[in-house]
Amino acid sequence: MEFLKENWIFAEVDLNKVNPITYQLITKMNQISELPVTVVLVEGSSESLEEDIKEYGPDKIITIKNDQLVQGNDLEMTNALDTLIEKTGRPNSFVFAATVVGRSLAPRLQARLRTGLTADCLDLHFEDDGTLVQTKPSYGDNIMCEIVVPNHRPQMATVRSNVFEAKKLNNPMTKVINITNLKVVQDKQLTISSKPLPQESAESITEANRIVAIGRGDKTEENLTNAKRLADKLHAVIGVTRPLTDLEEFDINDQIGQSGQSVSPDILINLGISGAVQYTAGISNAKTIVSANTDKDAPIFKHSDYYYVGNAEEFSKALEKALQ
Amino acid sequence: MKIVVGIKQVPETTNVKINEKTKNIDRRGISGVINQYDRHALEAAFEIKAKTNAEVIVMTMGPDDFVVSLQEALALGADSAVLLSDRAFAGADTLATGYVLSEAIKKIGDVDLVLLGQQSVDADTGQMGPIISEFLDISQVTYASKLDVEEGGLRIKRYLENIEQDITAKLPVLVTVTDQANDPKYVNIVEIAKSFEKEVTTWHASDLNLDADRVGQAGSPSVVRSISSPKEVVKDNYKLPDNPQDAADELVKILKDKNILVEDK
Ligand SMILES: Cc1cc2nc3c(=O)[nH]c(=O)nc-3n(C[C@H](O)[C@H](O)[C@H](O)COP(=O)(O)OP(=O)(O)OC[C@H]3O[C@@H](n4cnc5c(N)ncnc54)[C@H](O)[C@@H]3O)c2cc1C
Ligand SMILES: Nc1ncnc2c1ncn2[C@@H]1O[C@H](COP(=O)(O)O)[C@@H](O)[C@H]1O
């Protein structure tokens, strides 16, 4: 099987900024890959995000500057990446972020190239012959599978945010290759207009170091006020379980769990949360977990380092006091 | 308008374990239900049907017992149902499954809209939508949080991690639907029983125009090498005192001692 002896990463760009998952992927790939690590970056014609990416030390950056492609149409982007791969040859592997963009684009390219793709990986490693071993959860994180793609290239994967740590790396050898003449056929079926979501909190829960999470057992207005005061005291961000997204002030970006966000704070405090698997699927990377619940058998306690059986609001107030 | 909704039957609970003897997933005693996200895809189809008189065809690829879910979809309001069942389909990965589903959609013909769930709760891949769109050579909109019919197409809201998108899509198009899109209705046993008057069509491999190398295990680039239970992160499960202030004081002391709560962070 003929293929290009490189491992590729698709740089995810949102709002003219490189998504941190891209840096996490570069650091991980640099650690595990024997072959050169190449980042494929698609950006607007006046941008130069390759400068930011360089700081993480990949071997090569292929930059496609194109104002049509940054609109985010999956079909157009698939065509562009397919054309690029026709020119360069198929890389050994091609990994994407398991974000909405990555999870939409990667499988379309997979089908175009008729190869294998593993979604939502939690770990990756290479074997000596270049085989990419992909660890993926299924059944809502209750089962782990190891998946390989023995006879097709590229071996494709999407990888969850925050499972690897990004580290800057000085690599004076990083080569930047600009592709300017890529032809893009516009998809006339879709008209996409994008706008940034209002950033309510300065920090999003996916990047927060400290989170106070509130559930149905702590959702009265008074509870919320107290939880917010505790969060302020701790310099923490508020997260919620799904039922609380019914409230005006919370949405899917504040929701932790399988259909919300995966979080990886140093400390997570759960107030009035039962611990359904769909919720705990999102907290497996939290380092220290504290939970308060009136039910002494609440499933969340099994996931906790420290737990308090009793009223969440009383606990939250006491904690605020203890932090004085 | 002709709408195809792809549904999958999944175990009622994802709380499954590995059988130590067979090293396989133990599904004993767990019955099958319609994948939750697919209920939202179905509901989206029914809402469009209510406005435009669309025809709704529900489709699944899987073993014969998936027929139960098709019956339920018929009871909910689908006009017809197709089961894709054949030994040759066994062992299919996402690519091979998407291939068969796309060929079946081609066989139905003149389909304007394909609706799928955002992901299945057992496989958890979300790959099927983009794969089928590619094989049908049509545009795709994944993770739709809101769908409305408009003159000539659909208007869709979609959320990325930091971006909100407003999309207008001309038909034909494939859309995958999130659980934010609507509130699915449920039916009772009586209505399901009545739906048995509507027939489920079964198509085998020979009914479709398939390249044998692209179906089942032979057509699957991905190989599952092993399955295991996730490594349990061992948690201390330390119970704090019953008095809230004692509990809080002790917790803060522990966290400070362990350098987890450093001042001024
Ligand atoms: C397909 C699918 C995807 C889903 N995705 C997600 C997801 O991403 N995130 C998510 O969170 N959920 C998700 N869910 C929902 C999930 O199954 C649970 O319903 C949800 O997590 C429960 O939220 P909760 O713990 O806040 O509420 P509950 O389960 O109602 O728990 C409330 C808890 O509060 C306790 N309590 C009550 N009063 C007090 C008090 N005064 N003080 C202290 N404790 C008190 C109770 O003992 C109870 O344990 C999903 C469900 C499905 C079907
Ligand atoms: N075997 C199947 N038959 C029909 N539709 C399916 C099948 N598997 C998955 N789907 C559809 O594709 C969506 C995404 O599934 P998945 O890619 O498996 O996560 C599901 O929500 C279903 O709508």
Side-chain angles (χ1 to χ4, degrees):
Chain A
M1 190 179 15
E2 273 298 306
F3 61 89
L4 178 70
K5 302 263 182 303
E6 289 180 9
N7 290 313
W8 283 17
I9 296 162
F10 180 78
E12 176 148 341
V13 177
D14 324 318
L15 306 173
N16 318 329
K17 232 183 96 198
V18 180
N19 188 310
I21 168 86
T22 304
Y23 303 138
Q24 296 160 13
L25 289 175
I26 297 170
T27 301
K28 178 68 180 179
M29 270 294 186
N30 276 337
Q31 288 163 357
I32 63 172
S33 171
E34 296 273 318
L35 302 175
V37 174
T38 297
V39 177
V40 178
L41 167 69
V42 177
E43 63 183 355
S45 54
S46 58
E47 285 165 336
S48 48
L49 297 169
E50 54 279 13
E51 296 307 321
D52 298 344
I53 291 175
K54 264 190 195 161
E55 294 182 26
Y56 293 84
D59 297 291
K60 189 162 64 176
I61 304 172
I62 299 177
T63 310
I64 301 171
K65 288 188 195 276
N66 188 302
D67 292 326
Q68 177 64 31
L69 284 177
V70 293
Q71 308 271 313
N73 182 305
D74 295 332
L75 175 55
E76 291 172 4
M77 191 70 96
T78 302
N79 291 339
L81 294 177
D82 182 36
T83 310
L84 174 68
I85 288 173
E86 263 174 33
K87 287 189 191 170
T88 58
R90 292 177 171 224
N92 181 55
S93 70
F94 198 0
V95 302
F96 292 71
T99 51
V100 170
V101 168
R103 293 186 63 147
S104 307
L105 176 60
R108 181 136 202 167
L109 185 66
Q110 171 208 8
R112 178 72 59 88
L113 300 173
R114 295 208 200 152
T115 184
L117 165 71
T118 306
D120 224 13
C121 292
L122 290 178
D123 202 7
L124 298 173
H125 70 267
F126 286 103
E127 293 182 331
D128 291 342
D129 64 353
T131 301
L132 181 62
V133 183
Q134 309 159 2
T135 306
K136 163 192 204 309
S138 58
Y139 291 88
D141 289 6
N142 282 300
I143 300 286
M144 290 291 153
C145 309
E146 273 193 2
I147 296 178
V148 292
V149 179
N151 302 317
H152 296 70
R153 294 293 181 272
Q155 306 167 81
M156 294 181 68
T158 63
V159 180
R160 272 196 203 168
S161 288
N162 300 329
V163 294
F164 306 127
E165 220 172 305
K167 289 202 188 87
K168 291 198 177 171
L169 176 75
N170 184 19
N171 180 358
M173 308 296 279
T174 304
K175 257 193 296 188
V176 179
I177 294 172
N178 285 301
I179 308 258
T180 45
N181 55 349
L182 204 76
K183 238 179 73 196
V184 179
V185 185
Q186 203 181 332
D187 174 12
K188 297 241 166 63
Q189 291 294 104
L190 303 185
T191 316
I192 304 176
S193 83
S194 302
K195 63 171 188 222
L197 278 171
Q199 297 290 51
E200 295 114 36
S201 50
E203 204 181 7
S204 73
I205 55 167
T206 55
E207 284 158 36
N209 282 324
R210 294 176 181 178
I211 297 177
V212 173
I214 47 192
R216 195 141 51 180
D218 195 54
K219 66 167 225 193
T220 68
E221 206 156 309
E222 209 187 325
N223 294 155
L224 289 179
T225 313
N226 280 308
K228 281 183 199 154
R229 278 223 313 272
L230 174 63
D232 276 349
K233 190 108 229 158
L234 277 168
H235 305 292
V237 170
I238 297 270
V240 297
T241 60
R242 188 161 80 174
L244 271 83
T245 58
D246 289 345
L247 300 177
E248 192 63 48
E249 63 182 298
F250 301 117
D251 62 29
I252 190 150
N253 291 301
D254 309 306
Q255 178 192 322
I256 298 171
Q258 182 197 299
S259 59
Q261 318 296 326
S262 290
V263 297
S264 55
D266 294 333
I267 180 158
L268 168 69
I269 299 178
N270 294 307
L271 300 175
I273 292 174
S274 60
V277 287
Q278 291 90 355
Y279 176 77
T280 56
I283 64 169
S284 53
N285 289 315
K287 293 202 187 81
T288 300
I289 301 181
V290 179
S291 304
N293 196 305
T294 41
D295 175 5
K296 69 173 181 18
D297 298 319
I300 193 71
F301 290 156
K302 283 206 289 293
H303 300 266
S304 306
D305 298 279
Y306 307 101
Y307 69 95
Y308 172 73
V309 182
N311 187 298
E313 180 166 350
E314 283 174 15
F315 180 70
S316 149
K317 279 187 179 158
L319 202 51
E320 206 192 316
K321 216 162 139 201
L323 288 163
Q324 297 289 351
Chain B
M1 195 189 315
K2 210 191 255 186
I3 306 175
V4 170
V5 185
I7 67 169
K8 187 177 182 188
Q9 187 166 308
V10 296
E12 187 183 5
T13 163
T14 55
N15 200 359
V16 294
K17 297 233 156 50
I18 291 178
N19 182 319
E20 287 309 323
K21 268 203 202 120
T22 61
K23 299 283 174 219
N24 230 320
I25 293 167
D26 205 340
R27 289 204 198 187
R28 274 176 307 180
I30 302 179
S31 55
V33 295
I34 297 177
N35 179 37
Q36 182 61 28
Y37 295 109
D38 304 351
R39 292 189 181 274
H40 294 273
L42 278 169
E43 183 66 28
F46 298 146
E47 284 175 5
I48 296 171
K49 179 182 160 122
K51 285 189 194 134
T52 64
N53 233 335
E55 176 188 356
V56 177
I57 303 155
V58 56
M59 173 186 283
T60 192
M61 173 181 131
D64 288 342
D65 63 335
F66 277 26
V67 96
V68 184
S69 290
L70 291 176
Q71 292 292 357
E72 189 180 339
L74 287 170
L76 281 161
D79 297 292
S80 57
V82 181
L83 174 69
L84 305 168
S85 168
D86 199 299
R87 265 163 195 251
F89 301 159
D93 71 357
T94 54
L95 191 72
T97 305
Y99 173 60
V100 172
L101 287 168
S102 65
E103 285 302 322
I105 293 167
K106 285 183 195 166
K107 180 175 168 118
I108 290 171
D110 299 322
V111 173
D112 302 290
L113 176 62
V114 181
L115 292 173
L116 301 182
Q118 75 168 56
Q119 72 197 69
S120 54
V121 299
D122 54 351
D124 274 341
T125 86
Q127 280 162 246
M128 212 47 69
I131 291 173
I132 294 173
S133 325
E134 174 62 24
F135 288 151
L136 293 176
D137 201 10
I138 59 174
S139 298
Q140 68 185 48
V141 180
T142 56
Y143 298 93
S145 287
K146 192 161 176 273
L147 288 91
D148 289 302
V149 255
E150 277 190 348
E151 186 62 39
L154 296 176
R155 177 114 187 232
I156 298 163
K157 263 236 181 311
R158 176 181 192 242
Y159 293 94
L160 317 189
E161 283 71 12
N162 308 307
I163 299 172
E164 174 184 338
Q165 293 185 329
D166 194 347
I167 300 177
T168 54
K170 291 187 202 146
L171 304 177
V173 69
L174 180 146
V175 179
T176 76
V177 181
T178 70
D179 52 357
Q180 314 280 318
N182 50 44
D183 296 311
K185 288 179 215 25
Y186 288 80
V187 279
N188 58 36
I189 300 287
V190 183
E191 283 169 276
I192 296 180
K194 269 195 267 169
S195 78
F196 279 78
E197 290 155 20
K198 292 191 204 166
E199 213 179 317
V200 172
T201 308
T202 302
W203 286 342
H204 303 288
S206 57
D207 295 307
L208 299 172
N209 181 20
L210 296 172
D211 178 346
D213 295 342
R214 292 180 63 187
V215 302
Q217 205 147 14
S220 300
S222 302
V223 177
V224 179
R225 195 185 264 183
S226 68
I227 58 170
S228 59
S229 304
K231 277 186 232 111
E232 289 278 338
V233 185
V234 191
K235 289 287 181 188
D236 288 347
N237 298 153
Y238 177 81
K239 185 175 183 296
L240 296 164
D242 290 340
N243 176 289
Q245 199 58 55
D246 293 348
D249 291 343
E250 182 172 350
L251 178 67
V252 170
K253 181 170 184 328
I254 298 172
L255 296 180
K256 284 191 174 157
D257 287 349
K258 291 194 162 183
N259 255 341
I260 296 165
L261 267 193
V262 197
E263 235 88 15
D264 287 322
K265 207 170 168 182

